mmCIF file with all atom_site columns, all heavy atoms in Angstrom:
data_model
loop_
_atom_site.group_PDB
_atom_site.id
_atom_site.type_symbol
_atom_site.label_atom_id
_atom_site.label_alt_id
_atom_site.label_comp_id
_atom_site.label_asym_id
_atom_site.label_entity_id
_atom_site.label_seq_id
_atom_site.pdbx_PDB_ins_code
_atom_site.Cartn_x
_atom_site.Cartn_y
_atom_site.Cartn_z
_atom_site.occupancy
_atom_site.B_iso_or_equiv
_atom_site.pdbx_formal_charge
_atom_site.auth_seq_id
_atom_site.auth_comp_id
_atom_site.auth_asym_id
_atom_site.auth_atom_id
_atom_site.pdbx_PDB_model_num
ATOM 1  N N   . THR L 1 169 ? 9.848  -7.005 14.025 1.00 49.00 ? 185 THR L N   1
ATOM 2  C CA  . THR L 1 169 ? 8.665  -7.571 14.652 1.00 49.00 ? 185 THR L CA  1
ATOM 3  C C   . THR L 1 169 ? 7.774  -6.473 15.175 1.00 49.00 ? 185 THR L C   1
ATOM 4  O O   . THR L 1 169 ? 8.240  -5.411 15.605 1.00 49.00 ? 185 THR L O   1
ATOM 5  C CB  . THR L 1 169 ? 9.050  -8.496 15.827 1.00 49.00 ? 185 THR L CB  1
ATOM 6  O OG1 . THR L 1 169 ? 9.838  -7.744 16.766 1.00 49.00 ? 185 THR L OG1 1
ATOM 7  C CG2 . THR L 1 169 ? 9.857  -9.677 15.331 1.00 49.00 ? 185 THR L CG2 1
ATOM 8  N N   . ALA L 1 170 ? 6.483  -6.741 15.154 1.00 49.00 ? 186 ALA L N   1
ATOM 9  C CA  . ALA L 1 170 ? 5.524  -5.773 15.670 1.00 49.00 ? 186 ALA L CA  1
ATOM 10 C C   . ALA L 1 170 ? 5.567  -5.782 17.190 1.00 49.00 ? 186 ALA L C   1
ATOM 11 O O   . ALA L 1 170 ? 5.682  -6.821 17.817 1.00 49.00 ? 186 ALA L O   1
ATOM 12 C CB  . ALA L 1 170 ? 4.121  -6.109 15.181 1.00 49.00 ? 186 ALA L CB  1
ATOM 13 N N   . GLY L 1 171 ? 5.472  -4.601 17.761 1.00 46.00 ? 187 GLY L N   1
ATOM 14 C CA  . GLY L 1 171 ? 5.479  -4.490 19.209 1.00 46.00 ? 187 GLY L CA  1
ATOM 15 C C   . GLY L 1 171 ? 4.169  -3.928 19.724 1.00 46.00 ? 187 GLY L C   1
ATOM 16 O O   . GLY L 1 171 ? 3.105  -4.236 19.204 1.00 46.00 ? 187 GLY L O   1
ATOM 17 N N   . ASP L 1 172 ? 4.266  -3.090 20.730 1.00 45.00 ? 188 ASP L N   1
ATOM 18 C CA  . ASP L 1 172 ? 3.069  -2.512 21.312 1.00 45.00 ? 188 ASP L CA  1
ATOM 19 C C   . ASP L 1 172 ? 2.455  -1.486 20.373 1.00 45.00 ? 188 ASP L C   1
ATOM 20 O O   . ASP L 1 172 ? 3.079  -1.039 19.406 1.00 45.00 ? 188 ASP L O   1
ATOM 21 C CB  . ASP L 1 172 ? 3.414  -1.819 22.638 1.00 45.00 ? 188 ASP L CB  1
ATOM 22 C CG  . ASP L 1 172 ? 3.908  -2.815 23.674 1.00 45.00 ? 188 ASP L CG  1
ATOM 23 O OD1 . ASP L 1 172 ? 3.503  -3.995 23.580 1.00 45.00 ? 188 ASP L OD1 1
ATOM 24 O OD2 . ASP L 1 172 ? 4.704  -2.420 24.540 1.00 45.00 ? 188 ASP L OD2 1
ATOM 25 N N   . ALA L 1 173 ? 1.220  -1.089 20.672 1.00 47.00 ? 189 ALA L N   1
ATOM 26 C CA  . ALA L 1 173 ? 0.551  -0.070 19.868 1.00 47.00 ? 189 ALA L CA  1
ATOM 27 C C   . ALA L 1 173 ? 1.363  1.219  19.917 1.00 47.00 ? 189 ALA L C   1
ATOM 28 O O   . ALA L 1 173 ? 1.918  1.592  20.945 1.00 47.00 ? 189 ALA L O   1
ATOM 29 C CB  . ALA L 1 173 ? -0.854 0.171  20.399 1.00 47.00 ? 189 ALA L CB  1
ATOM 30 N N   . PRO L 1 174 ? 1.471  1.918  18.779 1.00 47.00 ? 190 PRO L N   1
ATOM 31 C CA  . PRO L 1 174 ? 2.306  3.110  18.736 1.00 47.00 ? 190 PRO L CA  1
ATOM 32 C C   . PRO L 1 174 ? 1.784  4.213  19.643 1.00 47.00 ? 190 PRO L C   1
ATOM 33 O O   . PRO L 1 174 ? 0.595  4.404  19.797 1.00 47.00 ? 190 PRO L O   1
ATOM 34 C CB  . PRO L 1 174 ? 2.233  3.537  17.267 1.00 47.00 ? 190 PRO L CB  1
ATOM 35 C CG  . PRO L 1 174 ? 0.983  2.929  16.739 1.00 47.00 ? 190 PRO L CG  1
ATOM 36 C CD  . PRO L 1 174 ? 0.827  1.646  17.491 1.00 47.00 ? 190 PRO L CD  1
ATOM 37 N N   . SER L 1 175 ? 2.722  4.943  20.240 1.00 50.00 ? 191 SER L N   1
ATOM 38 C CA  . SER L 1 175 ? 2.356  6.095  21.047 1.00 50.00 ? 191 SER L CA  1
ATOM 39 C C   . SER L 1 175 ? 2.038  7.275  20.145 1.00 50.00 ? 191 SER L C   1
ATOM 40 O O   . SER L 1 175 ? 2.593  7.415  19.056 1.00 50.00 ? 191 SER L O   1
ATOM 41 C CB  . SER L 1 175 ? 3.529  6.461  21.967 1.00 50.00 ? 191 SER L CB  1
ATOM 42 O OG  . SER L 1 175 ? 3.309  7.707  22.577 1.00 50.00 ? 191 SER L OG  1
ATOM 43 N N   . ALA L 1 217 ? 12.707 1.169  17.215 1.00 90.00 ? 233 ALA L N   1
ATOM 44 C CA  . ALA L 1 217 ? 11.509 1.297  18.047 1.00 90.00 ? 233 ALA L CA  1
ATOM 45 C C   . ALA L 1 217 ? 10.296 1.652  17.201 1.00 90.00 ? 233 ALA L C   1
ATOM 46 O O   . ALA L 1 217 ? 9.185  1.149  17.434 1.00 90.00 ? 233 ALA L O   1
ATOM 47 C CB  . ALA L 1 217 ? 11.732 2.350  19.123 1.00 90.00 ? 233 ALA L CB  1
ATOM 48 N N   . MET L 1 218 ? 10.481 2.499  16.190 1.00 89.00 ? 234 MET L N   1
ATOM 49 C CA  . MET L 1 218 ? 9.363  2.896  15.331 1.00 89.00 ? 234 MET L CA  1
ATOM 50 C C   . MET L 1 218 ? 8.906  1.735  14.457 1.00 89.00 ? 234 MET L C   1
ATOM 51 O O   . MET L 1 218 ? 7.708  1.537  14.233 1.00 89.00 ? 234 MET L O   1
ATOM 52 C CB  . MET L 1 218 ? 9.757  4.097  14.479 1.00 89.00 ? 234 MET L CB  1
ATOM 53 C CG  . MET L 1 218 ? 10.022 5.353  15.296 1.00 89.00 ? 234 MET L CG  1
ATOM 54 S SD  . MET L 1 218 ? 10.610 6.733  14.295 1.00 89.00 ? 234 MET L SD  1
ATOM 55 C CE  . MET L 1 218 ? 9.087  7.226  13.480 1.00 89.00 ? 234 MET L CE  1
ATOM 56 N N   . PHE L 1 219 ? 9.858  0.945  13.969 1.00 89.00 ? 235 PHE L N   1
ATOM 57 C CA  . PHE L 1 219 ? 9.484  -0.252 13.211 1.00 89.00 ? 235 PHE L CA  1
ATOM 58 C C   . PHE L 1 219 ? 8.741  -1.238 14.105 1.00 89.00 ? 235 PHE L C   1
ATOM 59 O O   . PHE L 1 219 ? 7.720  -1.806 13.713 1.00 89.00 ? 235 PHE L O   1
ATOM 60 C CB  . PHE L 1 219 ? 10.722 -0.934 12.622 1.00 89.00 ? 235 PHE L CB  1
ATOM 61 C CG  . PHE L 1 219 ? 11.357 -0.199 11.475 1.00 89.00 ? 235 PHE L CG  1
ATOM 62 C CD1 . PHE L 1 219 ? 12.717 0.054  11.460 1.00 89.00 ? 235 PHE L CD1 1
ATOM 63 C CD2 . PHE L 1 219 ? 10.589 0.245  10.412 1.00 89.00 ? 235 PHE L CD2 1
ATOM 64 C CE1 . PHE L 1 219 ? 13.302 0.738  10.402 1.00 89.00 ? 235 PHE L CE1 1
ATOM 65 C CE2 . PHE L 1 219 ? 11.165 0.935  9.346  1.00 89.00 ? 235 PHE L CE2 1
ATOM 66 C CZ  . PHE L 1 219 ? 12.527 1.179  9.355  1.00 89.00 ? 235 PHE L CZ  1
ATOM 67 N N   . GLY L 1 220 ? 9.258  -1.438 15.292 1.00 86.00 ? 236 GLY L N   1
ATOM 68 C CA  . GLY L 1 220 ? 8.657  -2.420 16.188 1.00 86.00 ? 236 GLY L CA  1
ATOM 69 C C   . GLY L 1 220 ? 7.266  -2.055 16.637 1.00 86.00 ? 236 GLY L C   1
ATOM 70 O O   . GLY L 1 220 ? 6.412  -2.927 16.837 1.00 86.00 ? 236 GLY L O   1
ATOM 71 N N   . SER L 1 221 ? 6.996  -0.752 16.812 1.00 85.00 ? 237 SER L N   1
ATOM 72 C CA  . SER L 1 221 ? 5.687  -0.312 17.286 1.00 85.00 ? 237 SER L CA  1
ATOM 73 C C   . SER L 1 221 ? 4.665  -0.207 16.173 1.00 85.00 ? 237 SER L C   1
ATOM 74 O O   . SER L 1 221 ? 3.472  -0.075 16.429 1.00 85.00 ? 237 SER L O   1
ATOM 75 C CB  . SER L 1 221 ? 5.820  1.049  17.972 1.00 85.00 ? 237 SER L CB  1
ATOM 76 O OG  . SER L 1 221 ? 6.138  2.053  17.022 1.00 85.00 ? 237 SER L OG  1
ATOM 77 N N   . GLY L 1 222 ? 5.118  -0.245 14.909 1.00 83.00 ? 238 GLY L N   1
ATOM 78 C CA  . GLY L 1 222 ? 4.198  -0.101 13.796 1.00 83.00 ? 238 GLY L CA  1
ATOM 79 C C   . GLY L 1 222 ? 4.041  1.312  13.293 1.00 83.00 ? 238 GLY L C   1
ATOM 80 O O   . GLY L 1 222 ? 3.271  1.557  12.366 1.00 83.00 ? 238 GLY L O   1
ATOM 81 N N   . LEU L 1 223 ? 4.782  2.265  13.883 1.00 84.00 ? 239 LEU L N   1
ATOM 82 C CA  . LEU L 1 223 ? 4.732  3.628  13.361 1.00 84.00 ? 239 LEU L CA  1
ATOM 83 C C   . LEU L 1 223 ? 5.261  3.685  11.936 1.00 84.00 ? 239 LEU L C   1
ATOM 84 O O   . LEU L 1 223 ? 4.780  4.459  11.113 1.00 84.00 ? 239 LEU L O   1
ATOM 85 C CB  . LEU L 1 223 ? 5.556  4.565  14.256 1.00 84.00 ? 239 LEU L CB  1
ATOM 86 C CG  . LEU L 1 223 ? 4.924  4.959  15.597 1.00 84.00 ? 239 LEU L CG  1
ATOM 87 C CD1 . LEU L 1 223 ? 5.930  5.722  16.436 1.00 84.00 ? 239 LEU L CD1 1
ATOM 88 C CD2 . LEU L 1 223 ? 3.665  5.779  15.373 1.00 84.00 ? 239 LEU L CD2 1
#
Side-chain angles (χ1 to χ4, degrees):
T185 57
D188 296 332
S191 169
M234 295 176 75
F235 288 130
S237 69
L239 285 172

